[in-house]
Amino acid sequence: MAELTPLDDALAIMLSCAQPLEAEDVPIEHAHHRTLAAPVIAAIASPRSDSSAMDGYAVRDTDVLELPSSLEVTGESFAGTAQPPSLGAGEAVRIFTGAPVPAGADRVVIQENCSREGDIVTLHEYGPGRHIRRAGHDFNEGQELLPAGAFLSARALVAAAGADRAVMSVVRRPRVAILGTGDELAPPGEARHKPGSIPESISFALAAMITEAGGEVVRRAHYPDDMAMLSNAAEEALAHSDLVVVTGGASVGERDYARDMFGDELTLLFSKVAMKPGKPVWFGRHGRVLVLGLPGNPISAIVTARLFLTPLVAGLAGQQPSDKLNWTTGVAGAVVPANGARETLVRGKWVEDRLAPLDSQDSSSQSALVEAEVLIRREIGATEVMPGGALTYLDF
């Protein structure tokens, strides 16, 4: 019988393999939710020249020492145009927000404080603000705006585009294949027509989790328990993937081929984990490709996927995989029973600001996943926790 690997040891093995893939260049429009492989360096300054923060008139301080003051309007400056000629004595330039400020100007007087007749503008008052954004006020050419390893959120893309960068160097998305196994499974919508079959319900959630973690699902398929078919599926998946996820066939049944389908080149890094639910989860490597085996039970599969698949994909995509295992302390809102001889992940939910176990902890209860918001970690031999006691949990 295979030795059970402690949960923390199994997680450490997985994290050690969750290393970023190689870099690739992508257009900025395809960079959302990617991880930078190289820093973003500004190709231009922002703003590129002194620019106006308001609509009004650019003037020299020496011409507005006494108010009201009338000046000759000698030009206009709009955003996106070249810098206008320098200001001379007694001159003003009509200027708009974002427009370059003429050399010699000390301030922009907002239009509400001015009146104009023809080419003469009269300034009646102005406040302490100069309303000029100096060149490089936001950032300078050559400045690092985003470091390698930064996650490209929508906000980060604003800075990258503002730096005049059209192409980002990012960590390549991990290509993930999902191979479901089991004679008893049928696609949703077809199970009702096949006596003895049940709907295949795991792969859809796994595909969503992979995408959310930064991966790309290159195959999602289900196969009967036929060794020849499974071997062919494994060979093809290994050729086109960075990670292969297998569901089902992790027990000791005579038609459980989930590991054998990968042949002798599969190196197991752990074969079972001392946890409940999810004991049959296993992890290995086939050459350069990682292989993760999840139980066929939907609850066990999704719990183990949250613990192993999500951090693994995130790490391959260049994120910090340990950030996906952010165990936190919360307060119990109900009695949590004592635990037995295997570490247990109790499905729980929030009741106001406290944690409560779900009424059903049955590993076959798929409907309970709808309510489950957290995984409450119960260590081996943990004693009963009363309301108000401390619990360790992970967002589910």
Side-chain angles (χ1 to χ4, degrees):
M1 180 179 295
E3 182 179 352
L4 294 179
T5 302
L7 177 57
D8 282 334
D9 291 351
L11 291 174
I13 291 170
M14 176 274 297
L15 290 174
S16 70
C17 296
Q19 300 299 317
L21 298 173
E22 70 274 13
E24 64 178 357
D25 290 342
V26 300
I28 190 171
E29 59 264 31
H30 297 149
H32 187 221
H33 280 180
R34 303 292 293 270
T35 301
L36 281 174
V40 171
I41 306 298
I44 60 174
S46 178
R48 299 178 69 183
S49 62
D50 292 353
S51 62
S52 178
M54 302 290 285
D55 294 343
Y57 293 85
V59 300
R60 306 186 318 162
D61 280 348
T62 55
D63 291 328
V64 293
L65 295 176
E66 295 184 6
L67 297 176
S69 179
S70 295
L71 305 172
E72 180 184 3
V73 179
T74 58
E76 294 181 320
S77 184
F78 298 90
T81 61
Q83 188 175 29
S86 301
L87 279 181
E91 294 179 345
V93 165
R94 178 71 167 114
I95 197 166
F96 299 89
T97 302
V101 174
D106 298 302
R107 68 174 64 240
V108 171
V109 180
I110 62 175
Q111 61 189 20
E112 291 84 353
N113 293 335
C114 305
S115 59
R116 180 172 173 178
E117 291 186 10
D119 290 337
I120 302 299
V121 61
T122 300
L123 285 60
H124 301 282
E125 61 176 303
Y126 55 83
R130 294 185 176 273
H131 306 306
I132 294 177
R133 298 188 181 103
R134 296 300 179 188
H137 169 74
D138 189 6
F139 53 81
N140 289 303
E141 181 181 348
Q143 181 177 334
E144 181 180 305
L145 294 186
L146 296 165
F151 183 70
L152 288 170
S153 65
R155 298 184 305 278
L157 290 177
V158 173
D164 202 32
R165 292 299 184 187
V167 176
M168 307 283 101
S169 176
V170 297
V171 177
R172 181 171 62 78
R173 290 189 192 277
R175 298 184 294 262
V176 186
I178 304 170
L179 307 181
T181 68
D183 290 334
E184 73 280 11
L185 301 178
E190 297 182 16
R192 73 193 78 169
H193 305 300
K194 298 180 179 180
S197 66
I198 60 176
E200 191 282 298
S201 60
I202 301 173
S203 68
F204 306 98
L206 297 181
M209 296 171 79
I210 289 164
T211 301
E212 289 173 358
E216 175 188 1
V217 179
V218 295
R219 168 168 292 199
R220 185 187 61 78
H222 167 256
Y223 300 91
D225 293 318
D226 179 283
M227 185 60 178
M229 292 182 64
L230 290 172
S231 295
N232 289 336
E235 182 178 359
E236 186 171 350
L238 289 168
H240 298 95
S241 308
D242 303 295
L243 169 64
V244 179
V245 181
V246 186
T247 65
S251 61
V252 293
E254 62 182 28
R255 289 197 295 174
D256 288 339
Y257 304 127
R259 298 177 194 173
D260 293 344
M261 62 194 280
F262 292 97
D264 295 336
E265 293 184 40
L266 176 67
T267 300
L268 284 176
L269 301 177
F270 59 79
S271 58
K272 289 186 178 180
V273 177
M275 60 181 291
K276 179 182 178 180
K279 181 179 75 171
V281 63
W282 56 273
F283 184 51
R285 184 184 291 276
H286 189 288
R288 64 168 188 84
V289 182
L290 299 171
V291 184
L292 177 64
L294 301 180
N297 182 297
I299 300 298
S300 299
I302 299 307
V303 169
T304 50
R306 174 62 185 89
L307 294 176
F308 293 96
L309 178 61
T310 294
L312 181 58
V313 173
L316 294 174
Q319 302 172 44
Q320 285 294 332
S322 57
D323 289 348
K324 303 298 183 181
L325 292 172
N326 186 22
W327 298 97
T328 308
T329 301
V331 178
V335 175
V336 181
N339 194 34
R342 201 192 320 164
E343 191 156 352
T344 302
L345 284 305
V346 177
R347 278 78 70 203
K349 64 180 179 180
W350 289 104
V351 178
E352 295 181 351
D353 60 347
R354 296 198 169 196
L355 296 165
L358 299 184
D359 292 335
S360 174
Q361 294 295 320
D362 191 319
S363 61
S364 66
S365 179
Q366 298 176 77
S367 62
L369 285 172
V370 178
E371 285 189 279
E373 298 175 294
V374 296
L375 293 175
I376 300 170
R377 186 171 184 176
R378 302 289 286 148
E379 296 181 350
I380 296 171
T383 58
E384 181 180 70
V385 176
M386 301 300 293
L391 293 172
T392 299
Y393 72 95
L394 181 70
D395 287 334
F396 190 25

